Amino acid sequence: MDAENRFETRTTFLLLRLEWLGGLAVCSVLAVRHFSEIRWAVFIALFVVIDAIGYLPGALAFRRSRDGRISRWYFVAYNTMHSLVTAGVVAGLWAVLVKPEWALLALPLHLLGDRALFGNSLKPFGVLFEPHSHPAYADFERAYSNSTGENSGESRRGADAVRL
């Protein structure tokens, strides 16, 4: 939403997913158009390594945990491997050290697919590793859905007056 209200409503989250779907569509069209030029072993390896390092270890630890709590390192691994920045660095290094190639589309296809199709993005430490509604967020969402926005404007004007 903005730097002070770091949450999404159902509508803004849907709009974000539609943006990611647009990127996914572009990458998919490129992959189809250059299908015969893709080195499929490289494509599959790049596609799979994201979850092999970033998701599967944490998912396994989560399922083995009695209370759902797992080490923060699983979240760090997930967020690192599911970052568009990491994908950009990997693609850039691959292009320089190996060669630029269409198989690199595996990276944005995986990440944009996760975001657009499944609604998955980076994981904060304060939630369970697998999707479960956080009680505090569920309470907030209920309260927010009943809000008219009138009180937030008054408190903002009050905060501005204090700063002056």
Side-chain angles (χ1 to χ4, degrees):
M1 299 266 255
D2 60 42
E4 295 296 321
N5 300 288
R6 296 177 304 271
F7 65 91
E8 298 298 336
T9 64
R10 290 183 191 273
T11 301
T12 57
F13 187 62
L14 173 64
L15 293 172
L16 275 175
R17 289 181 72 179
L18 288 172
E19 285 187 9
W20 295 324
L21 185 62
L24 179 62
V26 169
C27 292
S28 297
V29 167
L30 287 170
V32 168
R33 292 200 44 134
H34 297 279
F35 190 86
S36 64
E37 300 169 65
I38 293 175
R39 289 195 305 155
W40 287 101
V42 173
F43 181 98
I44 291 167
L46 289 170
F47 194 93
V48 168
V49 74
I50 293 169
D51 282 343
I53 295 172
Y55 171 69
L56 293 176
L60 184 60
F62 178 80
R63 283 170 180 76
R64 288 183 173 173
S65 171
R66 292 176 196 248
D67 61 2
R69 293 186 203 167
I70 60 173
S71 169
R72 288 182 170 211
W73 288 108
Y74 293 112
F75 290 80
V76 171
Y78 181 93
N79 291 340
T80 300
M81 295 306 295
H82 286 83
S83 166
L84 291 166
V85 173
T86 301
V89 169
V90 168
L93 287 172
W94 189 281
V96 169
L97 299 175
V98 180
K99 68 177 184 176
E101 61 179 302
W102 293 110
L104 294 171
L105 283 171
L107 300 168
L109 282 168
H110 183 123
L111 299 178
L112 294 172
D114 276 357
R115 287 165 169 75
L117 303 175
F118 304 115
N120 295 332
S121 190
L122 304 180
K123 295 183 183 291
F125 293 137
V127 299
L128 294 175
F129 191 81
E130 293 289 7
H132 289 83
S133 181
H134 191 286
Y137 188 77
D139 291 344
F140 163 78
E141 194 170 38
R142 264 191 303 282
Y144 179 80
S145 69
N146 294 325
S147 120
T148 61
E150 293 172 12
N151 291 339
S152 63
E154 289 175 19
S155 65
R156 182 73 216 147
R157 283 190 294 277
D160 288 341
V162 171
R163 287 187 195 156
L164 297 174

